[in-house]
Amino acid sequence: MSQGAFVKRQFGHRARLVLPYAEVLKADEQAHAARTMWNCLHAWWQMMPKGKRTLANADAAIRQARNDVDFLAVLPAQAAQAVLKTYYQAWKNCWDGRADAPNFKGRFRSVMSVDIPQGRDLQIKRVHRRWGQVNIPYLGRVRFRWTRSLPIGKHANADNRITGARLVKDHLGWHIAFRVMTLESAPSPHEGPEVGIDAGVNLPLALSDGNHIDHGRPARLQDGQADRDKWLNPDEKAKLLRLERQAAERKQHCKPGQRTSRRLHHTYDQIRGLRAKATRRHQDWQHKTTTALAQQYGTVVVEALTITNMVKSAKGTIEEPGKNVAQKSGLNRSISQEAWGRTVTMLAYKTARYGGALHKVPAPNTSLRCSACGFITPGSREDQATFICKNPDCDFEANADWNAAQNILHLYRMGHALIPAAGRAVVRRARHVKPPTAR
């Protein structure tokens, strides 16, 4: 939304909380209560007739549950309302075909989080250069790490303010993610060149101008298996392998239905810590890389990939078993680890911030078509790293990822860019319908 020469911008800022052990237990109780509230709401939704599945009835059920169950009463009322709004929005996304239907949340597989929808309840105050204080409902005043300026005090107004926050727990502990709305001057149009980007596994980002970007870590091991832990150094990989073997050995001693031992949970926590460290390193690389791309190029073109379909299992059925299941499983892990969707999301808001634009083009045949002659000939991609056109009149040979990036940019210049919606290029199509093919 623009107002003259200014534009409203919404972003999030995450900071680490410093909580005593007693406050950590209270925050854990609130997170478990929020997850239980979601599961109770989902069970209520499934039991009620369709005519009575309304927000008013769900709100009344939530209020009654908080009055009857002491465990749910530890969750603030505003946080309980946020659970209801999030659940209802999940169903709207399902009805619009943007996501699958919501389901129950598991204790160990779901992220522990508590929403604080009212920004005025936070009462943020900066203590000194490195620390700040924030008021959290049912927890009181707690400290957090101050790493960037926030619109508080005399700097806060209707256009520059904190609209809310969310408490999130990971292996490092509890963090608070502020939702910030600011009014900034609109950026001038970016005069940089156009570039097509092809996301891959062996080469993370291949650019159409040849300035390929690599994270300096091998995508595959020598035996052909995907390296899931490429963001860890050799010592950390050895430690992770030892912990995984230790966890497998201790799990053998757990009988079905028996409660998991504390030693096994401690081993799982150590494994989770190493995985989280690798994720943080990858996200740091993604942020730095996408920022550099947004500053250098005015128009960025990427493929409209349906990643969920690309990482489906190849096991098949009993009647029709799949082929090359192990190789497909390794490829799926590599695709998931590269997090292409997160890279595109970062490029979308960073290009807009620097005055550029992100466009998406249809993905089919971008890696099979020759960028020199435009024909698709069988056998051109016999080698994953090299593209050799089999057209007798062409004989074009180049890097396979660079060839795909050239095709992506060419589709945009020919007018095949998908229609952007709400400031970002997305693909809207009905569920269970094949994506359109490129001509």
Side-chain angles (χ1 to χ4, degrees):
M1 181 185 298
S2 61
Q3 298 178 357
F6 295 90
V7 61
K8 282 188 176 181
R9 174 171 169 258
Q10 295 182 354
F11 65 93
H13 171 59
R14 183 164 172 167
R16 186 183 303 183
L17 290 175
V18 181
L19 298 178
Y21 183 71
E23 305 300 330
V24 171
L25 295 180
K26 291 182 180 179
D28 292 347
E29 290 179 354
Q30 289 190 20
H32 289 307
R35 178 184 55 82
T36 305
M37 181 71 73
W38 173 284
N39 292 338
C40 293
L41 187 61
H42 185 60
W44 175 89
W45 187 275
Q46 290 181 326
M47 291 187 298
M48 295 297 291
K50 291 186 178 180
K52 295 185 178 181
R53 295 176 181 175
T54 61
L55 279 176
N57 293 338
D59 180 59
I62 283 180
R63 294 177 184 271
Q64 187 65 32
R66 294 184 72 251
N67 293 331
D68 296 341
V69 184
D70 295 337
F71 174 71
L72 299 178
V74 301
L75 185 67
Q78 295 293 339
Q81 294 295 322
V83 173
L84 173 59
K85 293 180 181 179
T86 305
Y87 181 79
Y88 191 71
Q89 182 63 38
W91 274 113
K92 291 180 65 177
N93 294 338
C94 175
W95 297 332
D96 294 341
R98 296 193 299 267
D100 294 333
N103 206 339
F104 290 101
K105 290 188 176 182
R107 179 181 178 89
F108 298 105
R109 290 186 175 272
S110 59
V111 179
M112 298 181 64
S113 62
V114 181
D115 197 78
I116 308 175
Q118 299 293 341
R120 62 174 180 268
D121 297 337
L122 298 174
Q123 302 176 10
I124 302 173
K125 179 182 179 182
R126 186 170 186 177
V127 179
H128 53 78
R129 184 170 62 92
R130 294 186 177 181
W131 297 101
Q133 281 188 343
V134 60
N135 181 69
I136 299 178
Y138 291 12
L139 293 183
R141 304 287 293 179
V142 297
R143 291 193 305 163
F144 68 93
R145 187 73 172 175
W146 191 282
T147 55
R148 68 170 300 166
S149 59
L150 297 173
I152 61 174
K154 63 180 181 180
H155 301 287
N157 50 49
D159 297 324
N160 298 276
R161 58 191 175 91
I162 296 178
T163 59
R166 175 180 287 268
L167 303 180
V168 183
K169 187 177 184 181
D170 61 6
H171 179 73
L172 296 178
W174 279 100
H175 295 71
I176 182 168
F178 298 104
R179 293 188 288 268
V180 186
M181 182 181 69
T182 60
L183 187 65
E184 300 178 352
S185 58
S188 57
H190 200 301
E191 301 298 335
E194 301 173 341
V195 65
I197 299 179
D198 176 67
V201 175
N202 295 322
L203 184 61
L205 297 177
L207 276 59
S208 58
D209 58 0
N211 298 324
H212 306 316
I213 299 177
D214 193 2
H215 43 55
R217 298 174 183 271
R220 294 183 179 275
L221 297 177
Q222 296 181 356
D223 58 358
Q225 295 295 327
D227 186 7
R228 299 182 299 165
D229 313 312
K230 58 189 174 185
W231 293 97
L232 300 177
N233 58 42
D235 293 338
E236 292 168 341
K237 290 182 180 180
K239 181 179 179 180
L240 179 61
L241 180 60
R242 176 177 57 82
L243 290 173
E244 289 179 341
R245 290 176 177 176
Q246 190 178 63
E249 181 180 356
R250 289 176 176 175
K251 190 176 181 180
Q252 292 179 352
H253 299 284
C254 296
K255 298 180 181 179
Q258 185 181 3
R259 187 173 182 179
T260 308
S261 64
R262 291 185 179 181
R263 288 185 177 181
L264 182 56
H265 274 302
H266 179 66
T267 305
Y268 284 153
D269 290 339
Q270 290 179 296
I271 295 175
R272 195 177 297 113
L274 290 174
R275 297 288 189 197
K277 180 181 293 186
T279 301
R280 289 194 300 272
R281 291 174 180 173
H282 187 201
Q283 289 181 352
D284 178 72
W285 177 85
Q286 283 182 309
H287 274 290
K288 293 178 180 178
T289 302
T290 52
T291 300
L293 290 173
Q295 292 175 345
Q296 182 178 359
Y297 299 100
T299 301
V300 179
V301 188
V302 297
E303 295 176 293
L305 298 174
T306 308
I307 302 177
T308 54
N309 294 339
M310 297 175 63
V311 297
K312 285 186 178 180
S313 176
K315 291 183 178 179
T317 60
I318 298 178
E319 293 79 8
E320 298 180 0
K323 299 180 180 179
N324 301 325
V325 179
Q327 291 82 348
K328 184 62 168 63
S329 178
L331 179 61
N332 292 347
R333 287 195 298 266
S334 299
I335 294 175
S336 299
Q337 190 182 22
E338 289 297 334
W340 296 338
R342 189 167 60 202
T343 301
V344 173
T345 302
M346 292 180 183
L347 281 173
Y349 74 80
K350 290 182 180 181
T351 51
R353 184 178 182 182
Y354 288 99
L358 176 75
H359 298 277
K360 292 185 178 181
V361 296
N365 298 325
T366 54
S367 60
L368 302 178
R369 183 182 293 108
C370 177
S371 59
C373 65
F375 284 93
I376 301 175
T377 54
S380 298
R381 287 294 305 272
E382 295 180 355
D383 185 7
Q384 291 294 327
T386 307
F387 181 89
I388 302 176
C389 183
K390 299 299 182 180
N391 184 5
D393 300 330
C394 181
D395 294 335
F396 175 74
E397 182 177 354
N399 179 272
D401 297 326
W402 178 83
N403 177 77
Q406 286 281 344
N407 289 327
I408 292 171
L409 181 60
H410 180 70
L411 286 175
Y412 166 74
R413 291 174 174 174
M414 294 297 294
H416 291 283
L418 300 174
I419 300 176
R424 59 184 186 273
V426 296
V427 184
R428 294 189 180 274
R429 58 183 178 87
R431 300 185 65 192
H432 308 298
V433 177
K434 294 184 178 180
T437 56
R439 294 184 178 179

